[in-house]
Structure formats: structure tokens, C-alpha cells
Amino acid sequence: MAKFVFVTGGVCSGLGKGITASSIALLLKAKGYKVFMQKFDPYMNVDPGTMSPIQHGEVFVTADGCETDLDLGHYERFIDEELNYTSNITNGKIYSSVIEKERRGDFLGATIQIVPHISNEIKNKIYEAATTSGADIVITEIGGTVGDIESSVMMEALRQFRQEQGRENTVFVHTTLVPYLFGSNELKTKPTQNSIIELRRLGIQPDIVVTRAPIDLGESVRKKIALFGSVPVENIIEAKDVNNIYQIPMNFHKQNIEEIILKQFGLKITKSNLAYWEELLQTVENLKGEVEIALVGKYVELEDAYLSVKEALKAAGYKYHTKIKINWVDSEALEKKNVKLEEVLKDAKGILVPGGFGSRGIEGKILACQYAREKKIPYLGICLGMQIAVIEFARHVCKLEDANSTEFDPVCKNPVIDLMADQKAVTNKGGTLRLGNYECHIEKGTLAYKDYGKDMILERHRHRYEFNNKYREVLEKHGMVFSGINPDLNLVEIIELPNHPHFIAGQFHPEFKSRPTKVHPLFDSFVKASITYQENLKK
Ligand code: GLN
């Protein structure tokens, strides 16, 4: 039977609960335990797939095709394990499944209530994660802040869970804020005290308190929190502000958080294998050069909308000991008459068009892509970024002037990007995209083959539209190479331009599979090409 760690948050959001949960998981894994992670989101959407990135940031996609919270991206990048449908549970998912069971008649005449029916469903999701993953330890993060109406049933389910499993199988980690007040120049413990009281009101006594603070707490503050919080002083783990999130696991490790957890579980404490992580930290802190990459999107004011892309670029930078300077380019602004492309993109050594939906800013992305193609600047297109590259090439090279995607122009004469027949019948928006892993066969002798070094790959998808195979021949004739094809559906997965130093785009999302310690091949080669481009300019 697995053991369970629950990570809750108090005082306010944005304290880095996701990174705390990921760091704990990483440290337990480094002790040789098999870990699995879950995020509970208290909102009523079934998943974040239908939410605007402005509301929610990026939608992360798991290998099995679940649209999930962006914290799952942190989890996967930290623990380097593939998560799945049991990893992101929302109130929407819980309620809809209970109501579906009620409609089916599964409850045999009972009155359906929050407790026990909803709370049982929540507990089942924790057990399901444990049994399907076969993990030794499941780490579950609860979104929101303790005391929120939204998360109250989830907290109730966790209270019951501890009753069932006992302290020897459950560890509660509560993350809080210890603010520093200027003027009186001191750290204040009251918000932390109150948030622990709030947690206790829900029937949960934390075992470990993780305190976010700008400076070291010092002995007296630690003692105070321990006293009021009823936790041993050594179970106060300080999460001091850091410049670089990869430092957090090491900071926690120095305070023995994983040993405290393993001791409570009665599990063996072995030596940690963290050398690879320390090496990463060393690299990140000693980057030598810098290269500018233009990321052309429509939510650039909100970096979280492109979180995994940003992390994948940074990871590629680490491999070459180079800092990636991202120039966040608003695609809509590029469409304005008084905006000069060569001004905005003058320092770009690589141009990346990431995923996206809807017609706003599309023409700006096409302009940026054309600029990359014509000026021979390295280009990486991701999902929509591949569709953009196809439209641009069809319009300006193949002279199909009104080429477009039917997403943006449903009646265009040259729909180079179009819906497949099965998608035309779809009416619901939620969960109906082409999602998750699909195979892609790679043609030998291409850039894609050079990058991946094998002829069959699996990549994660999240899109509705596809390359329209009717146009393959004409685009090929003009020099576009279709280097990756899905063998089952004969769909275009990767395109490239061999008469360009580095122009490649995929219909999938490589960013979801990249890790800080194991960069994805497409990001690797793109950043490498951008560095080479920069070096050639100097010659
Ligand atoms: N909007 C495009 C589609 O649905 C691309 C989606 C994406 O970039 N994730 O096919």
C-alpha cells in the first residue's frame, strides 16, 4: 500500500505550493522511492481546457491526453515521470461523475450528499492514483487557499482520508507566508498561526509547515510557529525566496524534509542521489553567453500562458551554457502599419511561434514567420506555429494567395489547414481536440531525423485542425519537406525547409516533454541553431 503526502496552502495564493510539492516528490525519488503526483483544483470546470490562458495560464497536456493545470508541467519537469488522467482532479470532474452515477441509478435510492458521496469520490481519486501508478508515495497538492468555500469538500475528504489511513500513512504539509514588515523590521507569524488554526478547524493538523519568507526566520520565530502550530521545531521548513526555482529542492534537502516524511511513514532512509540536480544548479548559476529568441504570441503579457515553452527554451540554453533572453512579441502589434518588423525582430537570433487558438494576431504571426524564412533566421513552429508556417509558405512561395486555415476563414478557397471529417461532427468544445500522444514516423535524411535520431517518436497533441493533404504535392514541389507523418491517420506532423539553415515545425507540443535535465531534441537544435546564427553574424 502506498503512503500519501498532502500539500495545502494558507494565507494567500502564489506561495509556490506547486514547487514545494514537486520538490518533495523529487527528494523522495532521490531516496529511491517511486513517486506519483496529483493536483486537486477546486473549480467547477471539468478541466482547464476551455479556460482562457488569461484566467489560467498554460493548459498542460499529459501523455494520455488530459488537459491539466500548469502545475503538472512543474511536476513532470521536476520528477521526470509521465503523469496521467488521475493526476488532475477538479470539483467539476468529481461532481459530474457523481451526478452521472446518480443518473445511472448506481446509488440505489439513496439521497446524494456532499458527505459522503462527493467526499468518497474525492478519496477514490487518491486511491486510484496510488493503485494505477503503483507508486510508493503519492504527493497530492490542493489548489487554492485553506478556508476557501470551493476547496472545503476536498479538505473534508482529506480529513477522512487521514482517519482511514492514520498518521503513519499520511503526511500533511502546509505552506504559508511569513511576511516581513518594514518599519518595525520584523517577521510576522500571525498569518501563519491563523492559517494553521483554519486548517485545524477543518479537522486537519499539519505535520510540516513550509514557510515562505524573504529572510531566514531565526530561532525565536521558528519556536513561535512551532508552539502555536503544534509541530516540532525541526518540522518548520523554511522556503526563503530564491532567484532560481531549482534551488528549492536543495534548500529543503538541507533541512531534511524528506527524512522527516520518511520517518513518519516508517520507511527506510537511504542516501540521496542528487548529484545530477546539483550539476543542473551549477550550470544555471554559471551561464556564459546570451542569445535572444523572439516568441511571437498573443498572450505575451502573461508569460504563464507559454510556461512550458519558456522552460524548454531555458533548458536548451542550459545545455549550451547560454542564457535565453526571450523577446515577448505581441503578434497583434506586428499587424499595425507603423510597427516595423525589422525593428521589433532586429536582435532575434531565433523566432518561435507557439500554439494558439482563434484568429486574433494570426496575420502578425504570419509576418514574423515570413521574416524568419526570408531572412534565414532559425524558426521553430509549435502546433499553431506549424499551421502558420504552412499558410505563409502556401501564400508567398506557392502563390496561393488566399491560403488559410478554416479556423480563421471558414470559406477560404485554399484551406491548407482544415478540419478532418470526424472533427466536423464535433459540437462540444471541452475535451474534443486531438489530445495526447500520437506516433510520428520520421523520414531519414531530414532535419527532424537528425534531431531525434530515430524513425518513430511519440509526441503530445492539443489541436483540432490539421494539414490538408490535398496541398501536400504543391507545397512539396516548391520545396517544403514533410518529414514527420502519423502512420495511422496519414497526418502531417512535421514540416521543414531544407533550403533554410533551420526551419522546422511540428503539429504537436514538444515543450511538454522537455525537462531541465533532458532537453527536448527540437528545442535543443533550435537553440543551437540560434547560437550558431549569432556567432556567424559576428564573423
Ligand atoms: N488552433 C489550432 C488548432 O486547433 C492550433 C492549436 C494549438 O496550437 N494548440 O488546430
Side-chain angles (χ1 to χ4, degrees):
M1 188 59 196
K3 311 272 184 187
F4 302 88
V5 176
F6 298 106
V7 180
T8 57
V11 183
C12 63
S13 60
L15 291 180
K17 220 172 350 135
I19 301 291
T20 297
S22 312
S23 300
I24 291 172
L26 180 147
L27 292 172
L28 292 168
K29 185 176 175 180
K31 289 273 189 213
Y33 289 97
K34 183 169 162 53
V35 294
F36 191 74
M37 297 191 73
Q38 265 189 315
K39 169 90 192 273
F40 281 5
D41 277 311
Y43 49 70
M44 287 302 294
N45 301 60
V46 170
D47 61 45
T50 55
M51 277 189 229
S52 153
I54 294 171
Q55 293 274 319
H56 195 269
E58 156 186 297
V59 174
F60 187 80
V61 181
T62 54
D64 63 345
C66 275
E67 297 174 276
T68 74
D69 186 74
L70 52 74
D71 266 327
L72 270 78
H74 286 309
Y75 299 171
E76 287 206 359
R77 284 188 289 273
F78 268 60
I79 64 176
D80 190 19
E81 298 282 342
E82 288 202 329
L83 302 173
N84 61 36
Y85 75 99
T86 63
S87 288
N88 197 190
I89 306 302
T90 66
N91 266 336
K93 227 173 241 171
I94 297 288
Y95 278 77
S96 62
S97 110
V98 170
I99 289 168
E100 200 182 300
K101 286 181 188 165
E102 185 274 333
R103 292 287 81 186
R104 256 200 329 253
D106 290 5
F107 295 115
L108 301 170
T111 304
I112 312 308
Q113 293 180 295
I114 304 279
V115 178
H117 298 94
I118 298 290
S119 52
N120 280 350
E121 188 75 15
I122 297 170
K123 284 186 288 179
N124 287 342
K125 296 292 180 194
I126 307 170
Y127 287 121
E128 187 184 8
T131 42
T132 56
S133 67
D136 302 313
I137 305 170
V138 177
I139 296 94
T140 305
E141 176 196 349
I142 293 79
T145 308
V146 164
D148 292 347
I149 291 180
E150 275 80 9
S151 60
S152 55
V153 204
M154 289 178 161
M155 300 305 293
E156 165 59 15
L158 299 193
R159 184 194 66 78
Q160 295 175 19
F161 198 92
R162 165 161 272 186
Q163 284 298 109
E164 284 169 24
Q165 290 291 320
R167 265 197 96 223
E168 64 281 16
N169 293 312
T170 53
V171 165
F172 279 88
V173 179
H174 190 53
T175 57
T176 72
L177 178 71
V178 181
Y180 182 83
L181 287 194
F182 288 97
S184 57
N185 294 342
E186 55 181 351
L187 290 165
K188 287 296 191 188
T189 65
K190 191 66 84 187
T192 295
Q193 291 179 39
N194 284 341
S195 137
I196 296 173
I197 291 170
E198 193 64 45
L199 193 58
R200 279 207 211 107
R201 233 198 288 274
L202 300 168
I204 295 168
Q205 166 63 43
D207 303 293
I208 294 173
V209 177
V210 173
T211 53
R212 176 80 183 268
I215 56 168
D216 289 332
L217 295 188
E219 228 18 63
S220 73
V221 171
R222 292 174 63 85
K223 277 191 183 143
K224 201 163 169 187
I225 296 174
L227 178 68
F228 283 94
S230 296
V231 291
V233 181
E234 58 276 15
N235 290 19
I236 313 278
I237 304 294
E238 299 186 31
K240 202 163 81 168
D241 295 350
V242 288
N243 298 326
N244 153 10
I245 57 170
Y246 305 125
Q247 220 173 314
I248 295 171
M250 296 318 292
N251 291 355
F252 284 6
H253 172 66
K254 282 183 204 133
Q255 301 174 73
N256 291 325
I257 193 170
E258 68 273 46
E259 298 199 358
I260 295 170
I261 293 170
L262 292 173
K263 218 187 274 166
Q264 184 164 327
F265 287 154
L267 292 175
K268 221 172 64 215
I269 298 175
T270 53
K271 216 173 146 304
S272 296
N273 171 17
L274 284 167
Y276 78 103
W277 199 261
E278 283 196 76
E279 201 178 304
L280 169 69
L281 251 183
Q282 282 304 318
T283 307
V284 176
E285 278 162 14
N286 295 292
L287 298 176
K288 289 183 190 83
E290 184 176 271
V291 67
E292 180 173 314
I293 305 286
L295 189 149
V296 187
K298 72 173 169 178
Y299 296 112
V300 288
E301 74 286 5
L302 185 86
E303 295 183 13
D304 268 1
Y306 306 104
L307 183 62
S308 293
V309 173
K310 181 170 96 174
E311 291 300 322
L313 281 173
K314 277 162 56 185
Y318 303 153
K319 180 159 177 199
Y320 297 101
H321 300 275
T322 301
K323 186 169 177 230
I324 305 292
K325 180 175 173 209
I326 301 181
N327 176 8
W328 299 91
V329 178
D330 174 7
S331 56
E332 217 178 359
L334 294 181
E335 295 166 7
K336 299 201 179 99
K337 286 225 156 54
N338 56 352
V339 174
K340 285 209 171 66
L341 215 55
E342 52 279 16
E343 256 313 299
V344 181
L345 299 173
K346 74 175 188 313
D347 294 322
K349 309 303 182 311
I351 295 176
L352 189 156
V353 177
F357 292 83
S359 55
R360 186 164 67 81
I362 287 299
E363 294 302 322
K365 290 177 189 174
I366 293 174
L367 286 171
C369 177
Q370 180 179 15
Y371 186 83
R373 180 178 58 77
E374 290 176 353
K375 304 274 183 220
K376 307 248 184 246
I377 302 170
Y379 179 83
L380 176 61
I382 294 177
C383 206
L384 176 66
M386 183 196 97
Q387 301 176 352
I388 292 288
V390 166
I391 297 169
E392 192 282 314
F393 191 82
R395 282 188 193 171
H396 304 127
V397 180
C398 308
K399 303 295 173 202
L400 301 168
E401 268 149 37
D402 64 346
N404 215 330
S405 161
T406 49
E407 180 180 6
F408 317 127
D409 180 3
V411 294
C412 72
K413 281 208 219 68
N414 286 299
V416 287
I417 306 293
D418 197 8
L419 286 179
M420 297 240 300
D422 61 337
Q423 279 289 352
K424 283 189 179 143
V426 168
T427 49
N428 273 6
K429 287 258 190 305
T432 55
L433 300 168
R434 178 146 84 103
L435 289 166
N437 269 356
Y438 282 87
E439 277 189 331
C440 167
H441 176 265
I442 297 186
E443 200 59 47
K444 288 213 170 70
T446 59
L447 174 58
Y449 192 84
K450 197 168 144 232
D451 287 351
Y452 283 98
K454 52 184 170 189
D455 52 20
M456 198 60 101
I457 55 158
L458 270 179
E459 290 284 3
R460 297 186 200 174
H461 292 249
R462 180 173 185 253
H463 57 101
R464 202 178 298 283
Y465 293 79
E466 306 283 352
F467 176 81
N468 184 344
N469 279 332
K470 277 188 221 136
Y471 290 90
R472 213 188 273 188
E473 209 183 309
V474 53
L475 268 67
E476 234 157 19
K477 223 163 55 202
H478 286 85
M480 183 170 272
V481 166
F482 298 91
S483 52
I485 303 290
N486 171 278
D488 303 320
L489 305 164
N490 189 27
L491 293 172
V492 169
E493 296 272 334
I494 307 177
I495 61 116
E496 53 190 82
L497 297 178
N499 67 352
H500 185 287
H502 192 96
F503 193 106
I504 190 163
Q507 187 54 78
F508 46 81
H509 289 273
E511 69 273 27
F512 296 144
K513 289 185 78 171
S514 188
R515 310 279 187 253
T517 47
K518 216 189 276 167
V519 57
H520 188 284
L522 291 184
F523 280 90
D524 180 341
S525 74
F526 171 63
V527 165
K528 190 172 172 208
S530 305
I531 294 170
T532 307
Y533 178 86
Q534 172 162 281
E535 280 165 1
N536 288 342
L537 286 182
K538 283 185 205 145
K539 278 181 195 157

